[in-house]
Amino acid sequence: MRAGNLFSSIYKVSAFAFPISANMLVSMISSFIAMLMVAKIGRMELAAAALATTTFMTIMTVTTTIFYAVSILISHAIGQKKASEEIGGLVKNGLWLSIILIIPSFFLLWHMDVVLSFFRQDPQLIIIADPYFHYAALTMIPTLISTVIFQFYTGIGNPKFTMIASIISLPILILASYLFIFGKYGMPRLGLAGVTCAMFWVQSIRGIAILIYMFFNDAIKKYAIFSGSFRLNWTICKNIFIFGAPIGIQFGGELAAMTGATYLMGHFGVMALAASQIVSQYSLLIVMIALGLSQAVSVLISEAYGKSDVQLIKEYLLSAKIILVI
């Protein structure tokens, strides 16, 4: 392997991973700032947030990372130089699958008070966290649909689109969190629930705006996402799910371990839970960087695999290891 090729691969992997990691970091920053606001309300709210956010993050990660398969399959199709309409078919069925997965995730989040009671968490904290989970359940609707769209852009080699969309929505989300958490300027004072209420409204508006942008974007029309047949193709949906489920289980399992530790911490009292929430917010910021790199490498390797370029796959793997060490 020549040094020139390796440096070129390191640059390509870094350039591709940066916007993906940046997008994840922007999402975490909004959550981080929202938790600072919740902390101003009191220790009980911050302790309840520890139970709520780790649980929601786990469920959301399991479901959203399943759709990493969309970007991987799209990049593989591009490597094989398949028709643009086939890529559009992957997106359409990814949207169908997102609608299907909304149902169990919505039901689970809406009844999360039963799960927390089963793990013998403080009843007072469960009461505070319950409205948070109700808005979180609603948030899964725009979140999963937007995830498919963002994975489409990543798959076609434009992860910057997702980063830009997140950066634009960041100040709006922070402002909305402030208004709903503290009940400012006529908004209802929702406390902890204001975090997910703000997420629901901002992500819904952002998702609608992106779909409108895509509909009128001439560069997207060749993929026939908004034209042709919209019938659900069970074979494609099944392929996406089978390919993406192990990814969701892997990423979600790591966060589930953190969630389990938080539930155990709940038996030590409110102060311990509040402190664990502060710690988890910092640790998740670091985790997002590694997740972004792993997704970038997956997409690039999938495209190289579609071209049957084994040497390029080795270069991407080595580049990722070097970046990770750095």
Side-chain angles (χ1 to χ4, degrees):
M1 184 184 298
R2 291 183 300 174
N5 289 347
L6 179 60
F7 285 126
S8 176
S9 295
I10 291 173
Y11 175 80
K12 187 171 182 178
V13 172
S14 300
F16 203 88
F18 175 77
I20 299 174
S21 295
N23 171 55
M24 293 180 175
L25 285 172
V26 166
S27 299
M28 287 307 305
I29 287 169
S30 63
S31 175
F32 187 85
I33 294 173
M35 284 305 111
L36 290 177
M37 297 179 192
V38 171
K40 295 290 184 182
I41 302 175
R43 295 173 183 173
M44 291 293 290
E45 284 73 14
L46 189 59
L51 296 173
T53 56
T54 53
T55 303
F56 177 44
M57 184 66 68
T58 300
I59 295 171
M60 185 172 66
T61 300
V62 170
T63 50
T64 55
T65 53
I66 286 173
F67 295 100
Y68 282 12
V70 173
S71 59
I72 294 170
L73 291 171
I74 287 174
S75 63
H76 185 257
I78 291 173
Q80 292 184 319
K81 297 182 178 180
K82 289 188 176 180
S84 299
E85 289 79 4
E86 289 191 44
I87 293 173
L90 284 168
V91 177
K92 289 177 183 177
N93 285 279
L95 290 171
W96 273 115
L97 183 60
S98 71
I99 294 170
I100 293 169
L101 291 181
I102 283 169
I103 298 170
S105 59
F106 184 99
F107 181 83
L108 181 59
L109 284 166
W110 194 270
H111 297 285
M112 191 50 65
D113 57 325
V114 177
V115 177
L116 292 178
S117 297
F118 175 79
F119 285 103
R120 298 182 180 180
Q121 299 303 309
D122 188 328
Q124 201 169 351
L125 297 181
I126 296 174
I127 292 172
I128 295 172
D130 199 36
Y132 173 99
F133 287 120
H134 289 171
Y135 282 110
L138 291 170
T139 301
M140 292 303 296
I141 300 170
T143 296
L144 290 183
I145 292 173
S146 296
T147 298
V148 175
I149 299 302
F150 290 152
Q151 291 304 311
F152 160 68
Y153 274 99
T154 300
I156 62 174
N158 187 15
K160 291 181 181 178
F161 178 88
T162 305
M163 180 185 70
I164 293 169
S166 296
I167 291 173
I168 291 172
S169 62
L170 176 61
I172 302 171
L173 183 55
I174 292 172
L175 176 61
S177 298
Y178 172 75
L179 294 176
F180 285 115
I181 290 171
F182 297 113
K184 299 294 184 180
Y185 301 104
M187 294 294 124
R189 180 183 171 89
L190 299 177
L192 176 60
V195 178
T196 43
C197 180
M199 287 176 62
F200 170 67
W201 285 111
V202 173
Q203 290 196 26
S204 296
I205 294 169
R206 184 183 69 177
I208 293 169
I210 289 172
L211 287 172
I212 293 172
Y213 167 79
M214 291 176 65
F215 182 81
F216 290 103
N217 189 343
D218 291 335
I220 302 300
K221 288 181 179 178
K222 66 180 181 179
Y223 297 105
I225 295 173
F226 300 99
S227 59
S229 175
F230 289 92
R231 290 181 61 185
L232 186 153
N233 187 318
W234 284 108
T235 302
I236 297 176
C237 282
K238 182 181 177 182
N239 288 341
I240 294 172
F241 183 78
I242 290 174
F243 201 91
I247 301 173
I249 292 170
Q250 179 196 344
F251 288 154
E254 293 169 0
L255 289 176
M258 184 182 294
T259 302
T262 302
Y263 288 174
L264 291 174
M265 198 65 66
H267 294 284
F268 290 91
V270 171
M271 289 293 287
L273 263 180
S276 71
Q277 172 63 2
I278 295 170
V279 173
S280 66
Q281 289 293 305
Y282 282 104
S283 60
L284 284 172
L285 287 172
I286 306 302
V287 170
M288 293 302 110
I289 297 173
L291 288 180
L293 177 61
S294 67
Q295 188 187 0
V297 174
S298 303
V299 172
L300 291 172
I301 286 178
S302 183
E303 183 179 357
Y305 183 73
K307 297 176 182 177
S308 300
D309 193 337
V310 177
Q311 183 60 35
L312 187 57
I313 292 174
K314 292 179 180 178
E315 289 175 9
Y316 284 150
L317 276 173
L318 181 57
S319 299
K321 291 177 183 177
I322 292 171
I323 294 168
L324 201 58
V325 169
I326 293 172

